[in-house]
Amino acid sequence: MLHKPVRPVLVVIAHGSRDPRHAATVHALVRRVRSLRPGLRVETGFLDFNLPSVQGVLESLAAEGVRDVVALPLLLTRAFHAKADIPAVLREAPSRLRIRQADVLGPSPLLLSALERRLYEAGLTPADKSSTGVVLASAGSSDPEAIAVIADIAREWWHTGWCAVRPAFASASLPRTEDAVRELRALGCSTVAVAPYVLAPGFLPDRIARGAAGADVLADVLGPAPEVARLLLDRYDTARAPLPAAVGA
């Protein structure tokens, strides 16, 4: 009798926050992921502030006899957490676990679709694109690679028909959201919208919202948007796929 191979458990690794809205939003996103693939086991671990911790989740899985795990960073860019924090936590995991670390979520066309979904939910329509300037407002990072990726996303998004798209950052980098709003006004965009490129509410998203006071439209965080849930599954599928055979092997 043939047995179906057991699918690796998906462990979503979230940053964590003292703000209770953060964990609530993460759990809502994970529920949507489960609804899209009912047979997949999905667990959530937090790096800080919230429980369960990533280490606690991994130890529990190992104690149950789980062997294979895909660890998926709930991050939009490859900055410090993806490059240092998460690999360090995974190195401390029980040795019986075989862990593959999935890529971070961004950049992805699905995230651009989710950003547009949030803008339309906030009152814009596709007919408004050519007259609307958008601030792509991210949390910010001291990592030059992460900053460059945000700028690239803004350029790519602009080419889909917006009047203009400008990146902005809530910390570590400039310009701030309010500066980008003023720049789009000066460019002559008749409507200015702020699209938070963040996954869940918290301290820095609140700073983005304050900086959006001079804009006409403020979209919600990406949160449990259907496109984000689909993207998590795409990253999971890529991570669990068999590695290509080496040439000449």
Side-chain angles (χ1 to χ4, degrees):
M1 180 177 173
L2 293 174
H3 294 280
K4 288 178 65 176
V6 177
R7 286 188 284 189
V9 174
L10 171 56
V11 176
V12 175
I13 301 178
H15 184 276
S17 171
R18 292 185 179 91
D19 189 323
R21 298 173 298 167
H22 174 91
T25 303
V26 170
H27 291 311
L29 173 59
V30 169
R31 284 195 297 272
R32 176 155 259 162
V33 172
R34 291 186 182 122
S35 74
L36 291 176
R37 195 169 297 179
L40 175 62
R41 181 173 178 182
V42 187
E43 301 291 344
T44 308
F46 295 90
L47 289 172
D48 210 350
F49 302 117
N50 302 103
L51 293 175
S53 67
V54 177
Q55 190 69 21
V57 169
L58 296 176
E59 288 174 357
S60 294
L61 290 173
E64 287 180 35
V66 170
R67 292 297 305 276
D68 292 295
V69 169
V70 169
L72 195 157
L74 199 60
L75 301 168
L76 296 175
T77 57
R78 271 186 50 76
F80 180 78
H81 292 302
K83 294 177 179 179
D85 281 358
I86 292 175
V89 170
L90 297 181
R91 282 194 295 271
E92 297 298 317
S95 58
R96 68 166 286 118
L97 292 177
R98 293 187 294 243
I99 302 176
R100 301 186 200 187
Q101 183 176 332
D103 286 340
V104 297
L105 299 180
S108 167
L110 283 168
L111 290 174
L112 290 182
S113 297
L115 286 165
E116 294 205 355
R117 170 189 291 275
R118 294 302 190 224
L119 285 171
Y120 297 150
E121 289 171 350
L124 293 178
T125 71
D128 297 320
K129 286 186 83 165
S130 62
S131 60
T132 300
V134 180
V135 178
L136 180 68
S138 78
S141 173
S142 57
D143 188 308
E145 178 189 349
I147 297 303
V149 166
I150 300 299
D152 288 344
I153 293 168
R155 279 192 294 270
E156 179 184 347
W157 203 15
W158 170 58
H159 287 303
T160 68
W162 297 99
C163 173
V165 180
R166 293 289 184 271
F169 307 94
S171 70
S173 310
L174 295 173
R176 295 285 183 257
T177 302
E178 53 269 34
D179 300 325
V181 168
R182 284 193 290 269
E183 182 184 351
L184 291 172
R185 290 274 185 229
L187 279 174
C189 299
S190 60
T191 302
V192 175
V194 174
Y197 190 63
V198 292
L199 286 164
F203 176 76
L204 293 178
D206 283 349
R207 182 179 287 177
I208 290 171
R210 290 193 298 272
D216 303 297
V217 174
L218 170 62
D220 199 359
V221 299
L222 295 170
E227 297 85 356
V228 179
R230 284 172 49 207
L231 181 55
L232 262 69
L233 290 171
D234 285 352
R235 293 289 187 255
Y236 169 82
D237 289 337
T238 299
R240 71 183 284 257
L243 297 174
V247 175

